[in-house]
Amino acid sequence: MRPYLLLTPGPLTTSDSVKETMMTDWCTWDEDYNLHIVQELRKELLGIATKTPEEYTTVLLQGSGTYCVEAVIGATIGKNNKLLICSNGAYGDRMGNIAEYYHLDYDMLAFEETEQVSVEYVDDYLSNNSDITHVAFVHCETTTGILNPIKELSHVVKMHGKKLIVDCMSSFGGIPLDVHELGIDFLISSSNKCIQGVPGFGFIIARRSELMHCKGVARSLSLDIYDQWETMEKGNGKWRFTSPTHVVRAFKQALTELIAEGGVEARYARYCENHRILVDGMRSLGFKTLLEDAIQSPIITSFLYPKAGFDFKSFYMALKSKGFVIYPGKISKADTFRIGNIGDVYPEDFKRLVETVKETEY
């Protein structure tokens, strides 16, 4: 079932058992689906997100993670609000694109792609711009693999009394965090990341009191997170429009496997070990990482081209023929490629990858 391993930040390699669950068809109106799959996974997501679930709820939404980012921004930033976006990569910039499409009142704090969002700069900006009502940033920016200081940033945002939106697309389920302890009002992720499901829907962990303020604010019918939530609540898991049933069932299986592995902490430990073996091995072959170790996440790792004239496409195809699919770079100021450490992949896989790279001409 695996012609190659997807060493990418999502879609990613899934277990055979996750794939197998998609072989059954489900009815979107049936209680076996809504009550025993949708509602149970919503509850399980809250259990992963916080030790204080009573203040939060879960909204599931068809589409990619960006759909959910757009849905949250479009439903939380009203006419009397102003959004501050803190960006150090393509996905922070995408929030800015969304704000432009919606003609929102917003400011953008832009940082270099190889530096973290500055806590001090955000603090200073909020001190001097009292009209800001909401702050948004990306936890793990997969443009490079950089990990932004979520604890410190969240503290500063809440200290200034602002609402907090965090894109945890590539970190939720793979890096331990607690939305209540951090004061996050809206956390956004998707089915095909660290929980190791397949693409098809995203989800929002929302503070109930803040979600209530979203009623009637959305500019889009399909992306109205309040209406989606209300329908799921009143309909015991019913989606407003056609649910991606096979994907949802696969995600439920993926959640079961996450819990069986030992939860987020255990998965984080595996991802860290994958990353360690990868980096140590690649460095032993002369490759250099783009980022300093102190700001590098265990999710995806960017490597600089090893020499002038390096042909990434040939390198990519050579690795693919040996069972490994990697990712091209995404930044403009350096020639890089990326290797994902997440998914149903293990330290032994990365040992094999390093040996394969060693045997590959480049």
Side-chain angles (χ1 to χ4, degrees):
M1 296 181 73
R2 289 184 176 182
Y4 43 70
L5 294 180
L6 280 177
L7 301 182
T8 62
L12 38 65
T13 299
T14 57
S15 68
D16 289 346
S17 50
V18 165
K19 297 180 183 70
E20 287 165 1
T21 59
M22 292 188 287
M23 301 304 290
T24 300
D25 299 319
W26 296 87
C27 173
T28 58
W29 286 93
D30 194 89
E31 286 189 356
D32 286 343
Y33 175 71
N34 290 318
L35 278 176
H36 303 302
I37 297 177
V38 177
Q39 292 295 68
E40 287 180 11
L41 75 81
R42 290 180 70 207
K43 182 178 179 181
E44 289 170 359
L45 279 172
L46 286 182
I48 293 169
T50 179
K51 300 182 185 71
T52 314
E54 56 272 12
E55 291 188 28
Y56 288 84
T57 188
T58 310
V59 187
L60 311 181
L61 190 66
Q62 300 93 325
S64 71
T66 297
Y67 284 53
C68 289
V69 175
E70 180 172 338
V72 169
I73 291 175
T76 57
I77 312 303
K79 294 179 180 178
N80 299 319
N81 300 127
K82 185 172 183 179
L83 174 66
L84 174 64
I85 300 169
C86 308
S87 176
N88 59 341
Y91 298 97
D93 290 348
R94 189 173 293 175
M95 290 183 181
N97 291 339
I98 291 167
E100 287 288 334
Y101 266 82
Y102 280 74
H103 305 291
L104 301 180
D105 189 6
Y106 81 100
D107 288 341
M108 171 78 79
L109 286 182
F111 300 87
E112 292 292 330
E113 293 169 317
T114 54
E115 67 173 339
Q116 291 178 311
V117 172
S118 167
V119 178
E120 293 76 16
Y121 201 77
V122 173
D123 184 18
D124 180 69
Y125 199 88
L126 292 176
S127 296
N128 291 285
N129 294 271
S130 59
D131 56 340
I132 297 293
T133 59
H134 294 68
V135 178
F137 65 87
V138 177
H139 182 201
C140 178
E141 179 55 82
T142 53
T143 303
T144 57
I146 199 167
L147 195 64
N148 285 315
I150 189 170
K151 184 177 180 180
E152 294 82 0
L153 285 170
S154 299
H155 175 73
V156 164
V157 171
K158 303 315 287 188
M159 182 179 69
H160 285 277
K162 311 304 180 184
K163 307 305 178 185
L164 179 58
I165 300 167
V166 186
D167 175 340
C168 289
M169 209 68 63
S170 297
S171 60
F172 184 76
I175 298 177
L177 59 83
D178 188 304
V179 291
H180 183 264
E181 291 178 2
L182 293 171
I184 296 173
D185 296 295
F186 295 90
L187 177 148
I188 308 157
S189 191
S190 69
S191 59
N192 58 297
K193 299 292 185 177
C194 294
I195 295 177
Q196 298 179 184
V198 300
F201 76 95
F203 55 89
I204 300 120
I205 308 295
R207 190 185 300 275
R208 284 179 177 269
S209 58
E210 290 305 315
L211 183 60
M212 297 304 102
H213 296 310
C214 296
K215 185 175 182 179
V217 179
R219 285 85 162 170
S220 164
L221 172 65
S222 297
L223 302 182
D224 187 336
I225 60 173
Y226 179 85
D227 199 29
Q228 182 88 336
W229 170 82
E230 186 177 54
T231 300
M232 286 186 170
E233 290 288 295
K234 292 181 177 179
N236 288 317
K238 182 72 178 68
W239 301 52
R240 289 181 301 160
F241 311 125
T242 303
S243 167
T245 54
H246 300 75
V247 174
V248 173
R249 180 62 186 89
F251 187 75
K252 181 68 168 64
Q253 176 63 26
L255 271 173
T256 299
E257 293 176 12
L258 170 62
I259 295 167
E261 185 173 351
V264 177
E265 290 76 11
R267 184 154 293 179
Y268 174 65
R270 170 161 64 87
Y271 289 170
C272 286
E273 182 64 4
N274 289 349
H275 171 71
R276 185 193 67 79
I277 290 171
L278 172 67
V279 170
D280 288 351
M282 293 293 280
R283 284 174 175 168
S284 74
L285 300 178
F287 288 88
K288 296 180 180 179
T289 56
L290 174 68
L291 301 176
E292 299 175 2
D293 291 347
I295 60 175
Q296 170 73 59
S297 76
I299 303 301
I300 188 168
T301 313
S302 293
F303 293 94
L304 296 166
Y305 280 11
K307 61 184 180 182
F310 174 73
D311 186 347
F312 171 75
K313 185 64 179 294
S314 296
F315 183 65
Y316 171 90
M317 294 304 297
L319 294 184
K320 183 179 179 181
S321 70
K322 299 292 181 62
F324 302 97
V325 168
I326 62 173
Y327 228 43
K330 203 178 177 76
I331 67 172
S332 57
K333 294 185 178 180
D335 291 323
T336 63
F337 62 88
R338 295 173 291 168
I339 300 179
N341 310 305
I342 63 177
D344 191 47
V345 289
Y346 298 84
E348 304 77 41
D349 296 315
F350 287 88
K351 291 176 183 177
R352 290 192 298 109
L353 172 64
V354 171
E355 284 302 310
T356 301
V357 173
K358 184 178 180 179
E359 297 166 1
T360 301
E361 291 186 13
Y362 51 83

